[in-house]
Amino acid sequence: MTTNLSFPITLKHILSSLATLVLITLYFITRTGFSPSSSSIQPPDNNTLRISNSSTVQSQESAKCSKIPPSLADALIHYASSNVTPQQTHSEISVTKKVLVKKSPCNFLVFGLGHDSFMWSTLNYGGRTIFLEENESWIRQIAEKFPSLESYHVQYNTKVRDAAALMAVAKEREECRSVSTDLRVSACELALKGLPEVVYETEWDLIMVDAPTGFHEEAPGRMTALYTAGMIARRRKDGGETTDVFVHDVDRKVEDEFSMAFLCRDYMTEQEGRLRHFTVPSHRNYGISGGKLCP
Ligand SMILES: *[C@@H]1O[C@H](CO)[C@@H](O)[C@H](O)[C@H]1NC(C)=O
Ligand SMILES: *[C@@H]1O[C@H](CO)[C@@H](O)[C@H](O)[C@H]1NC(C)=O
Ligand SMILES: *[C@@H]1O[C@H](CO)[C@@H](O)[C@H](O)[C@H]1NC(C)=O
């Protein structure tokens, strides 16, 4: 450069240097998303903006290679744009999600069909999730909205007001404690015998009991669903496996008493809000509890 610069030119030079500095600073601020805590900024000629160590960068890069499955995308968009939220709270849902993260893809049996159904089947991505529902017009309504869900109509012939009598009979009857009897021919009043074949023929990893209706005396109540869920778990053939059973609305008498009696207090692993989680072992091969339902 020239050595005999006059004062105004020097000032101009300084000003243009300052402008360049401001531009470079602005560049970095926008690159880091205005985050004041990002300190490990790489020079602009390096395209990798390093915010963590190399293993993180690597996993971000490999995630780029696979597309999000269409059904997952649909679920995200559905829940992001829906003003109807699932019946369970965030912390209640998290209990089941924790188990699904470990076990899915798996077999997941759900008593009840509702706004959370698409979420359950999506969380069990690649597995089989089926829903049992008492209200036929509700099934049609949901099937229209979510055609990919597998749901079945189920009839219950009990009433909440009969719960105490059913409990008394079940405690006396030998038939209600028999794990070797096929549920379809069980003489126990609490066994659901008319369910779709797939329910009896599948080894279920998870069972959610969030139906049928049970909030008034004339409603069917969950007595038979809770008993049947417990027996399906005990009858599991793939020895050594446990079944995770989740019961919602345990603040109610029927859900509280029947879950403790037939899924067993000793098999309860967690309660969060109105949701209980039981881990029920198979009673098939081990002579577990010597003919008793609970330890
Ligand atoms: C970019 O930065 C990373 C991490 O510091 C380094 O491993 C890589 O070699 C750099 N790439 C270039 C092109 O400078
Ligand atoms: C860097 O990666 C290792 C695993 O390679 C991990 O254990 C560690 O927590 C990571 N550090 C940060 C800051 O993410
Ligand atoms: C069944 O579902 C419909 C909605 O499809 C609802 O209007 C009706 O009240 C429900 N019936 C019962 C008995 O809950």
Side-chain angles (χ1 to χ4, degrees):
M1 279 293 198
T2 49
T3 48
N4 58 345
L5 287 169
S6 64
F7 174 74
I9 291 173
T10 311
L11 184 65
K12 210 174 144 193
H13 181 78
I14 291 168
L15 282 174
S16 88
S17 300
L18 269 174
T20 311
L21 202 70
V22 166
L23 279 175
I24 290 171
T25 311
L26 272 175
Y27 174 82
F28 279 122
I29 290 173
T30 43
R31 278 285 298 257
T32 53
F34 301 99
S35 164
S37 60
S38 298
S39 50
S40 56
I41 302 161
Q42 296 296 308
D45 60 330
N46 189 327
N47 276 333
T48 315
L49 178 65
R50 256 187 104 178
I51 43 173
S52 184
N53 69 21
S54 61
S55 59
T56 315
V57 172
Q58 247 170 24
S59 71
Q60 282 167 350
E61 276 166 3
S62 60
K64 255 186 267 164
C65 300
S66 54
K67 260 188 202 170
I68 180 171
S71 68
L72 248 156
D74 288 346
L76 265 176
I77 292 167
H78 167 74
Y79 287 108
S81 59
S82 171
N83 53 6
V84 190
T85 49
Q87 291 90 331
Q88 295 185 20
T89 65
H90 184 279
S91 51
E92 288 168 347
I93 291 167
S94 303
V95 174
T96 310
K97 183 221 145 202
K98 213 165 51 188
V99 177
L100 275 172
V101 162
K102 266 190 251 152
K103 291 200 166 178
S104 82
C106 65
N107 294 323
F108 188 7
L109 170 64
V110 185
F111 287 83
L113 181 70
H115 300 294
D116 51 358
S117 301
F118 195 31
M119 175 187 72
W120 294 131
S121 69
T122 308
L123 288 176
N124 187 25
Y125 182 76
R128 184 171 195 187
T129 308
I130 76 163
F131 301 90
L132 306 179
E133 168 60 39
E134 82 228 62
N135 184 335
E136 265 186 302
S137 79
W138 181 238
I139 291 183
R140 275 195 299 274
Q141 210 172 306
I142 294 286
E144 222 167 84
K145 222 170 160 186
F146 310 111
S148 65
L149 299 183
E150 184 179 357
S151 53
Y152 298 91
H153 180 231
V154 167
Q155 275 174 308
Y156 299 91
N157 49 21
T158 52
K159 297 249 190 290
V160 169
R161 63 175 148 79
D162 303 327
L166 279 167
M167 177 66 94
V169 171
K171 279 188 167 164
E172 269 172 30
R173 292 195 74 146
E174 189 62 38
E175 289 92 333
C176 292
R177 288 192 292 274
S178 166
V179 175
S180 55
T181 313
D182 188 326
L183 281 163
R184 285 168 280 200
V185 297
S186 171
C188 181
E189 289 85 345
L190 284 172
L192 285 168
K193 299 171 193 69
L195 299 178
E197 287 299 296
V198 58
V199 176
Y200 306 106
E201 281 159 14
T202 309
E203 303 287 302
W204 299 102
D205 302 292
L206 273 80
I207 304 175
M208 167 78 66
V209 183
D210 202 359
T213 316
F215 64 87
H216 58 93
E217 290 291 291
E218 296 305 307
R222 301 189 187 157
M223 299 78 76
T224 52
L226 289 165
Y227 172 85
T228 303
M231 294 313 272
I232 288 173
R234 288 181 189 84
R235 285 177 55 77
R236 244 183 113 159
K237 291 191 208 83
D238 44 359
E241 289 295 336
T242 56
T243 304
D244 292 279
V245 185
F246 305 88
V247 182
H248 197 227
D249 300 314
V250 295
D251 55 320
R252 300 195 301 220
K253 197 170 190 294
V254 165
E255 282 77 357
D256 173 36
E257 289 180 359
F258 279 72
S259 69
M260 286 306 196
F262 299 110
L263 296 166
C264 308
R265 196 175 294 272
D266 284 352
Y267 293 152
M268 187 173 114
T269 37
E270 191 174 0
Q271 178 166 340
E272 177 64 54
R274 296 185 292 140
L275 188 90
R276 264 182 210 157
H277 173 205
F278 297 84
T279 309
V280 184
S282 169
H283 283 210
R284 282 243 185 192
N285 307 318
Y286 303 97
I288 282 183
S289 70
K292 288 187 300 185
L293 282 187
C294 293

